[in-house]
Amino acid sequence: MATSPAYLQTHLRDDIVILRAADDLRRGLPVVIATHDGPGGHSLMVLPAELADAWRLERLSMLGKPQVLISRERAAVLKIHHKGRDAVRLSCPKDSFGIRALADPTADLSAPMKGPFQVQEATTEQAALDEAALALLKIAHLLPAAVSVDLCADVPQDMARHHGLLLVSVPQIKAHIQAQTGGLMVVADAKLPMKGAPNSRIVAFRPESGGTEHFAILVGSPAPSDAVLVRLHSECFTGDALGSLKCDCGNQFTGALETIEQAGGGIVLYLAQEGRGIGLVAKLKAYALQDQGHDTVDANLRLGFAIDEREFGPAAAMLKALGFLRIRLLTNNPEKVAGLEREGIKVVERVEHRFPSNEHNAHYLATKRDKTGHFL
Ligand SMILES: Nc1nc2c(ncn2[C@@H]2O[C@H](COP(=O)(O)OP(=O)(O)OP(=O)(O)O)[C@@H](O)[C@H]2O)c(=O)[nH]1
Ligand SMILES: [Zn+2]
């Protein structure tokens, strides 16, 4: 039996369509963002600045005058004054090199940018679209900088359909961000004997949106009625898998398993929040900036991100699903305690989780102590 369009429509939930749009952006396909669902309103065609080559730029320019959008953090780094927006509109540089330089600071030393940068004041509707565009780029784990073109009010639906482009709305992007904290489904649950913690189990949680899974590792048989030891571990490919000495993640991961095993059981949550939530490639760009002398905090800001982009909703949702509402948290990060408490988990004790530094991570740890309030 043929599937009716109405059937498909009801299954194109907000959070799902947003991940499809994020995938398109990663492939260099523009996405149209509208102020609201349905006809009318304002809209914007958006392309990631880091993928704006001459060919794509030429095609985008056929639809209108392009502008560049950068985040408040990137604008501060570039010393651009504006009216306090989260997304700042600038006149578009003439070529794709200029656009990419605005987005990606890793080439700042070899190709210094030439100002002055011309700010374009956005209306309230335009500002909402601009902010949504940068939020969508972050969901795609791309740098939060875009080339965009304003579209006429009556154009977007037909244009998107005609060109095979995705049309999403500001409310859909907001709904997706909120949905990240809920709708986690258990999709696998198995025994996982590990070195130092042979009696362990792993539970995989997948967001209903189809986004990346988070994992709960239950060491021993922790009882929900006890305030058991819990470690929130944000994914770190370089530290966890490659044994990088630049951070303390590898030691913290194996150390947490040992401590929890010795305590008679508990939980390690392995969160898909690589690079404090900016994604692996952006973290590697942050490392390239650290090679140039910037610290871990400044590197995030130079790339246009917040210092920490992590959410605590998924961790709290997993703990609630497993029945652990009162915990003892292994961390040096006061924000993890506050974040979990905001999400309804009672942290009855913060348990220190420090390891000796080495010559490669001493500066990173000192920066966490001095700039982000870690107890180190
Ligand atoms: N953006 C960015 N992320 C980094 C850098 N170094 C490490 N990370 C990431 O930082 C996260 C560290 O996570 P955690 O160890 O769970 O968190 P924490 O804030 O250090 O807090 P505690 O270890 O609990 O005290 C991981 O996702 C790493 O990938 C860096 O220089 N830049
Ligand atoms: Zn790490």
Side-chain angles (χ1 to χ4, degrees):
M1 193 175 76
T3 313
S4 76
Y7 172 86
L8 286 176
Q9 203 59 42
T10 55
H11 284 70
L12 277 180
R13 296 162 25 143
D14 292 348
D15 45 354
I16 294 171
V17 83
I18 293 307
L19 284 186
R20 289 177 66 193
D23 277 348
D24 277 7
L25 288 175
R26 287 176 65 82
R27 295 184 175 95
L29 282 170
V31 165
V32 180
I33 305 178
T35 41
H36 53 259
D37 301 310
H42 295 259
S43 63
L44 194 67
M45 187 173 282
V46 177
L47 185 68
E50 62 184 296
L51 296 173
D53 57 16
W55 186 83
R56 290 180 178 124
L57 195 58
E58 192 191 316
R59 260 136 201 91
L60 201 69
S61 304
M62 289 173 184
L63 302 171
K65 198 168 162 31
Q67 64 248 336
V68 171
L69 310 177
I70 58 171
S71 70
R72 164 201 291 273
E73 290 85 355
R74 185 82 184 122
V77 168
L78 298 174
K79 301 197 168 40
I80 295 173
H81 297 285
H82 59 96
K83 288 196 174 153
R85 302 273 197 211
D86 285 338
V88 180
R89 280 186 172 213
L90 302 176
S91 300
C92 191
K94 287 200 177 53
D95 57 43
S96 55
F97 297 106
I99 295 170
R100 288 198 213 177
L102 269 175
D104 187 345
T106 52
D108 277 0
L109 282 185
S110 52
M113 255 180 305
K114 295 181 200 78
F117 305 105
Q118 218 183 341
V119 175
Q120 295 180 0
E121 287 313 327
T123 62
T124 310
E125 285 88 0
Q126 287 171 336
L129 287 167
D130 295 352
E131 282 172 30
L134 297 192
L136 188 56
L137 285 162
K138 285 186 185 179
I139 292 166
H141 282 156
L142 294 166
L143 294 177
V147 190
S148 67
V149 169
D150 290 309
L151 301 176
C152 310
D154 50 344
V155 162
Q157 303 243 14
D158 290 345
M159 172 186 284
R161 203 173 299 129
H162 179 73
H163 293 282
L165 299 178
L166 273 178
L167 173 73
V168 299
S169 69
V170 174
Q172 282 178 319
I173 294 173
K174 288 187 176 160
H176 173 86
I177 292 167
Q178 272 155 17
Q180 282 173 339
T181 61
L184 287 177
M185 305 173 295
V186 173
V187 288
D189 182 343
K191 284 184 184 166
L192 188 72
M194 285 179 295
K195 225 183 271 172
N199 181 23
S200 303
R201 198 177 118 210
I202 185 161
V203 184
F205 288 86
R206 180 178 295 158
E208 279 181 7
S209 63
T212 318
E213 290 83 9
H214 304 281
F215 300 90
I217 300 161
L218 286 89
V219 178
S221 306
S225 52
D226 297 339
V228 299
L229 271 181
V230 173
R231 166 80 187 145
L232 261 58
H233 187 87
S234 301
E235 179 179 1
C236 178
F237 170 66
T238 45
D240 302 339
L242 303 185
S244 161
L245 298 173
K246 270 185 78 73
C247 58
D248 51 349
C249 301
N251 286 340
Q252 284 188 316
F253 182 69
T254 46
L257 290 178
E258 271 168 35
T259 308
I260 292 173
E261 171 80 7
Q262 280 161 17
I267 301 174
V268 176
L269 297 180
Y270 196 86
L271 301 161
Q273 298 178 337
E274 171 67 71
R276 298 200 293 272
I278 68 175
L280 177 57
V281 172
K283 182 181 86 169
L284 299 181
K285 286 181 185 287
Y287 280 180
L289 294 176
Q290 289 167 47
D291 291 343
Q292 296 172 10
H294 300 289
D295 66 33
T296 182
V297 164
D298 287 340
N300 258 40
L301 298 173
R302 292 190 88 78
L303 289 164
F305 292 102
I307 295 168
D308 196 330
E309 295 271 357
R310 286 176 288 186
E311 302 271 350
F312 293 94
M318 286 193 283
L319 288 172
K320 286 177 190 171
L322 296 166
F324 295 84
L325 302 178
R326 292 174 72 251
I327 61 163
R328 292 160 65 225
L329 190 64
L330 272 169
T331 186
N332 308 315
N333 183 351
E335 191 43 41
K336 284 190 183 175
V337 177
L340 277 184
E341 295 241 326
R342 277 197 300 273
E343 298 290 339
I345 300 292
K346 181 78 194 142
V347 179
V348 299
E349 187 189 352
R350 181 188 71 81
V351 180
E352 196 177 87
H353 199 47
R354 258 196 282 187
F355 294 84
S357 62
N358 64 57
E359 60 175 301
H360 304 282
N361 71 9
H363 185 247
Y364 167 70
L365 297 178
T367 305
K368 289 210 285 188
R369 181 195 61 215
D370 299 338
K371 290 195 168 177
T372 54
H374 281 62
F375 300 102
L376 286 167

Short mmCIF file of all heavy atoms in Angstrom, two decimals, residues 233-240 244 246-250 274 283 287 364, ligand 2:
data_model
loop_
_atom_site.label_atom_id
_atom_site.label_comp_id
_atom_site.label_asym_id
_atom_site.label_seq_id
_atom_site.Cartn_x
_atom_site.Cartn_y
_atom_site.Cartn_z
N HIS A 233 31.50 11.18 32.72
CA HIS A 233 32.71 11.27 31.91
C HIS A 233 32.34 11.72 30.50
O HIS A 233 31.64 11.01 29.78
CB HIS A 233 33.41 9.91 31.87
CG HIS A 233 34.74 9.96 31.20
ND1 HIS A 233 35.91 10.28 31.86
CD2 HIS A 233 35.10 9.77 29.91
CE1 HIS A 233 36.92 10.27 31.01
NE2 HIS A 233 36.46 9.97 29.81
N SER A 234 32.78 12.90 30.12
CA SER A 234 32.51 13.38 28.76
C SER A 234 33.51 12.71 27.82
O SER A 234 34.71 12.69 28.11
CB SER A 234 32.67 14.89 28.67
OG SER A 234 31.79 15.51 29.56
N GLU A 235 32.99 12.22 26.71
CA GLU A 235 33.81 11.50 25.74
C GLU A 235 35.07 12.29 25.38
O GLU A 235 35.02 13.51 25.19
CB GLU A 235 32.97 11.30 24.48
CG GLU A 235 33.65 10.59 23.37
CD GLU A 235 32.70 10.41 22.18
OE1 GLU A 235 31.54 10.87 22.25
OE2 GLU A 235 33.15 9.83 21.19
N CYS A 236 36.20 11.57 25.30
CA CYS A 236 37.45 12.21 24.89
C CYS A 236 38.22 11.18 24.07
O CYS A 236 38.97 10.37 24.64
CB CYS A 236 38.25 12.66 26.12
SG CYS A 236 39.84 13.41 25.65
N PHE A 237 38.03 11.19 22.76
CA PHE A 237 38.66 10.20 21.89
C PHE A 237 40.17 10.21 22.08
O PHE A 237 40.81 9.17 22.22
CB PHE A 237 38.29 10.48 20.43
CG PHE A 237 39.06 9.68 19.43
CD1 PHE A 237 38.91 8.31 19.35
CD2 PHE A 237 39.97 10.30 18.57
CE1 PHE A 237 39.63 7.56 18.43
CE2 PHE A 237 40.70 9.57 17.66
CZ PHE A 237 40.54 8.19 17.59
N THR A 238 40.74 11.41 22.13
CA THR A 238 42.20 11.51 22.21
C THR A 238 42.72 10.98 23.55
O THR A 238 43.74 10.30 23.60
CB THR A 238 42.64 12.98 22.00
OG1 THR A 238 41.79 13.80 22.80
CG2 THR A 238 42.55 13.37 20.55
N GLY A 239 42.02 11.29 24.63
CA GLY A 239 42.48 10.86 25.95
C GLY A 239 42.08 9.43 26.27
O GLY A 239 42.87 8.65 26.80
N ASP A 240 40.84 9.06 25.94
CA ASP A 240 40.32 7.73 26.33
C ASP A 240 40.89 6.64 25.44
O ASP A 240 41.22 5.56 25.92
CB ASP A 240 38.78 7.70 26.22
CG ASP A 240 38.11 8.75 27.08
OD1 ASP A 240 38.74 9.23 28.03
OD2 ASP A 240 36.95 9.10 26.80
N SER A 244 46.20 10.20 24.94
CA SER A 244 46.78 11.55 24.89
C SER A 244 47.20 12.02 26.27
O SER A 244 46.50 11.80 27.26
CB SER A 244 45.74 12.52 24.32
OG SER A 244 46.08 13.85 24.64
N LYS A 246 47.64 15.26 26.78
CA LYS A 246 47.25 16.67 26.85
C LYS A 246 46.17 16.95 27.88
O LYS A 246 45.92 18.09 28.22
CB LYS A 246 46.73 17.12 25.47
CG LYS A 246 47.80 17.67 24.56
CD LYS A 246 47.20 18.20 23.26
CE LYS A 246 46.56 19.56 23.42
NZ LYS A 246 47.51 20.66 23.57
N CYS A 247 45.44 15.89 28.29
CA CYS A 247 44.36 16.11 29.26
C CYS A 247 44.46 15.04 30.34
O CYS A 247 45.38 14.24 30.34
CB CYS A 247 43.00 16.06 28.56
SG CYS A 247 42.71 14.50 27.70
N ASP A 248 43.50 15.03 31.25
CA ASP A 248 43.53 14.04 32.34
C ASP A 248 42.44 12.98 32.17
O ASP A 248 42.19 12.19 33.07
CB ASP A 248 43.36 14.75 33.70
CG ASP A 248 42.17 15.70 33.75
OD1 ASP A 248 41.58 15.98 32.69
OD2 ASP A 248 41.83 16.16 34.86
N CYS A 249 41.81 12.93 30.99
CA CYS A 249 40.63 12.08 30.80
C CYS A 249 40.92 10.59 30.95
O CYS A 249 40.15 9.87 31.59
CB CYS A 249 39.99 12.35 29.44
SG CYS A 249 39.50 14.06 29.24
N GLY A 250 42.01 10.13 30.32
CA GLY A 250 42.31 8.70 30.38
C GLY A 250 42.47 8.25 31.82
O GLY A 250 41.85 7.26 32.25
N GLU A 274 31.88 15.09 23.36
CA GLU A 274 33.31 15.23 23.06
C GLU A 274 33.71 16.71 23.04
O GLU A 274 32.95 17.58 22.57
CB GLU A 274 33.56 14.56 21.71
CG GLU A 274 34.90 14.75 21.08
CD GLU A 274 36.06 14.10 21.82
OE1 GLU A 274 36.19 12.87 21.83
OE2 GLU A 274 36.86 14.87 22.37
N LYS A 283 37.44 20.32 18.66
CA LYS A 283 38.42 20.20 19.76
C LYS A 283 39.84 20.14 19.18
O LYS A 283 40.76 20.74 19.73
CB LYS A 283 38.14 18.97 20.61
CG LYS A 283 39.11 18.85 21.79
CD LYS A 283 38.87 17.61 22.64
CE LYS A 283 39.60 16.40 22.08
NZ LYS A 283 39.59 15.26 23.02
N TYR A 287 43.00 22.42 19.84
CA TYR A 287 44.37 21.97 20.12
C TYR A 287 45.36 22.72 19.23
O TYR A 287 46.46 23.09 19.67
CB TYR A 287 44.50 20.47 19.91
CG TYR A 287 43.98 19.61 21.06
CD1 TYR A 287 44.04 18.23 21.00
CD2 TYR A 287 43.45 20.19 22.21
CE1 TYR A 287 43.59 17.44 22.06
CE2 TYR A 287 42.98 19.42 23.26
CZ TYR A 287 43.06 18.04 23.18
OH TYR A 287 42.60 17.27 24.22
N TYR A 364 47.03 22.88 31.11
CA TYR A 364 45.59 22.64 30.93
C TYR A 364 44.89 22.56 32.29
O TYR A 364 43.86 23.18 32.53
CB TYR A 364 45.40 21.35 30.12
CG TYR A 364 44.01 20.78 30.07
CD1 TYR A 364 42.98 21.41 29.37
CD2 TYR A 364 43.72 19.56 30.72
CE1 TYR A 364 41.72 20.86 29.32
CE2 TYR A 364 42.45 19.00 30.67
CZ TYR A 364 41.46 19.65 29.97
OH TYR A 364 40.20 19.12 29.91
ZN ZN B 2 40.58 14.48 27.38
#
